[in-house]
Amino acid sequence: IAGMGFSNVGLGIVHSMAHQLGAVYDTPHGVANALLLPYVLEYNGEVCPERFKKMGEAFGLNLKGLTDKEIVNAVVKAVRNLAIRLNIPQHISDIGGKEKDIEMLAQKALEDPCTGGNPRETNLDDFVELFKKAF
């Protein structure tokens, strides 16, 4: 039932990118999503910072007086710190990724059905830059 629900709303580029890490490097989908999430949150935060206030509150962050950009940064940091505490790899190179694969990963992520559900329009160059950051 959950799958039917999220397939109707679109999952966004964190899943588009994670699918590729699973397919190419045999990375479990949850690990791939957790690894990529801080990079994608930072990217998407530029177009939907209002969503980050609720995320920050869920983390118990004190957001009073912070700008939208500062809130996005605080949430990204909290997500990254949680992943570190859970021993999630922080870089694609940590899971055996190869930088020579970036273009191929980006192209496949662009074609992934989840891409359309992202709050920010994403093109091939954006995917290339996100994968580079994650290496």
Side-chain angles (χ1 to χ4, degrees):
I1 293 173
M4 290 184 337
F6 62 65
S7 68
N8 287 326
V9 296
L11 296 173
I13 63 171
V14 70
H15 285 275
S16 301
M17 295 173 71
H19 290 152
Q20 309 326 309
L21 299 186
V24 176
Y25 306 119
D26 198 31
T27 305
H29 191 58
V31 171
N33 274 288
L35 184 159
L36 294 165
L37 188 57
Y39 303 100
V40 173
L41 286 172
E42 186 176 57
Y43 172 80
N44 283 334
E46 293 184 24
V47 299
C48 58
E50 68 284 351
R51 295 181 182 184
F52 285 73
K53 186 171 184 189
K54 287 183 181 179
M55 287 186 271
E57 290 168 353
F59 271 102
L61 302 177
N62 179 3
L63 306 174
K64 190 170 178 80
L66 298 182
T67 66
D68 286 347
K69 177 83 170 145
E70 291 169 333
I71 291 171
V72 168
N73 290 340
V75 169
V76 169
K77 182 177 179 181
V79 169
R80 185 169 277 124
N81 287 340
L82 176 60
I84 289 168
R85 285 196 316 269
L86 296 172
N87 295 315
I88 299 294
Q90 296 300 294
H91 303 282
I92 296 171
S93 58
D94 298 338
I95 60 167
K98 297 172 181 51
E99 288 190 57
K100 70 176 182 62
D101 295 336
I102 288 175
E103 290 287 334
M104 177 267 298
L105 294 168
Q107 183 62 49
K108 289 183 177 292
L110 181 65
E111 297 166 2
D112 191 283
C114 292
T115 297
N118 200 59
R120 182 174 176 184
E121 183 100 8
T122 310
N123 62 39
L124 183 62
D125 291 337
D126 296 327
F127 275 119
V128 167
E129 287 306 310
L130 283 165
F131 276 117
K132 283 181 180 179
K133 281 184 180 182
F135 262 90

